[in-house]
């Protein structure tokens, strides 16, 4: 079974400061990892994913994430947060084993960027 | 424009009254899935479909049915809704399924209240 932990319910950051949203995962074998963002009253938007290769993945809106296999983590980062980044962020994982078609999401992190 | 559409977007119903939430995609993707989002629980997968006439249970399938008679549509059926099915529901489509590498793209959501 695969699972994701997003340990913080809410992340507060001042505008212009670095933003980090934490994610750790548990999966058998190699993981496929995803980050999604949900703005108020909207659906989920895909930000980025790690499948294989370079551990640092760059995505939409200036976000990036670093895959760390030894720490089983995939933290989302942005060097300089904007007020418009205030949203709910979800990390998700799927095992890369053949026939595994189920995606497990974390409970989400509310990010509040303070002007 | 690639889209996932869901209807209705908002629905209030009573216990036991059968309902269907439709989901349609215009990208001819094989993979489609349904999730429910609840506060503090993140997204949980209800059912998914790898192709026409191929469906499988996710993590929380109890009380739900799905069908995939054609590639573009993947309706979610609640035969006898109960209050614990009050939730926000998302349909998703996946591109180029390659052992789980696909990215899932989500619809706008359907907010259901069961009285």
């Amino acid at each position: 079974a695969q699972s994701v932990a997003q340990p913080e319910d809410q992340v507060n950051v001042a505008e212009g400061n670095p933003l980090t949203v934490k994610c750790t995962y548990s999966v058998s074998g190699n993981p496929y990892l995803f980050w999604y963002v949900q703005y108020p009253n909207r659906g989920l938007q895909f930000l980025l994913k790690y499948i294989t290769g370079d551990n640092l993945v760059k995505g939409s809106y200036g976000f990036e994430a670093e895959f760390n296999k030894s720490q089983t983590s995939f933290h989302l980062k942005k060097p300089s947060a904007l007020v418009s980044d205030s949203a709910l962020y979800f990390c998700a994982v799927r095992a890369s084993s053949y026939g595994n078609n189920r995606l497990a999401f974390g409970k989400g992190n509310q990010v509040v960027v303070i002007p | 424009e690639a889209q996932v559409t869901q209807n209705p977007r908002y629905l209030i119903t009573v216990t036991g009254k059968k309902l269907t939430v439709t989901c349609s995609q215009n990208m001819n993707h094989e993979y489609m899935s349904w999730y429910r989002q609840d506060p503090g629980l993140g997204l949980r997968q209800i059912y998914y479909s790898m192709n026409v006439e191929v469906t499988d249970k996710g993590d929380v399938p109890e009380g739900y049915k799905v069908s995939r008679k054609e590639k573009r549509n993947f309706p979610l059926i609640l035969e006898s809704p109960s209050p614990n099915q009050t939730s926000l529901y998302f349909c998703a489509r996946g591109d180029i399924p390659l052992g789980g590498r696909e990215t899932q793209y989500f619809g706008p959501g359907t907010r259901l209240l069961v009285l």
Side-chain angles (χ1 to χ4, degrees), chain B residues 3-60:
Chain B
Q3 285 189 342
V4 178
T5 56
Q6 297 179 225
N7 282 294
R9 294 289 312 280
Y10 303 91
L11 180 60
I12 301 174
T13 190
V14 295
T15 298
K17 186 177 181 180
K18 181 180 178 180
L19 66 91
T20 299
V21 184
T22 64
C23 174
S24 181
Q25 53 112 349
N26 63 355
M27 292 298 292
N28 203 38
H29 287 158
E30 285 84 5
Y31 185 93
M32 297 184 75
S33 183
W34 276 103
Y35 296 84
R36 60 178 289 174
Q37 181 182 5
D38 301 289
L41 297 176
L43 276 79
R44 293 177 292 169
Q45 193 171 34
I46 303 171
Y47 269 94
Y48 64 92
S49 171
M50 293 296 292
N51 211 327
V52 175
E53 302 292 0
V54 181
T55 63
D56 208 346
K57 296 177 180 178
D59 296 314
V60 288

Side-chain angles (χ1 to χ4, degrees), chain A residues 42-63:
Chain A
R42 301 284 295 277
L44 275 75
Q45 295 181 26
F46 168 72
L47 277 178
L48 52 79
K49 67 179 177 182
Y50 171 82
I51 301 298
T52 187
D54 194 345
N55 288 345
L56 184 63
V57 179
K58 294 188 184 296
S60 307
Y61 312 122
F63 283 94

Side-chain angles (χ1 to χ4, degrees), chain A residues 70-110:
Chain A
S70 63
Q71 297 185 5
T72 62
S73 67
F74 190 56
H75 301 330
L76 181 70
K77 299 180 181 181
K78 186 171 183 180
S80 178
L82 303 173
V83 172
S84 57
D85 293 327
S86 298
L88 189 57
Y89 290 80
F90 290 97
C91 181
V93 68
R94 184 204 307 272
S96 61
S97 54
Y98 178 78
N100 185 323
N101 299 303
R102 294 165 68 166
L103 189 63
F105 281 82
K107 61 179 174 59
N109 283 127
Q110 185 68 50

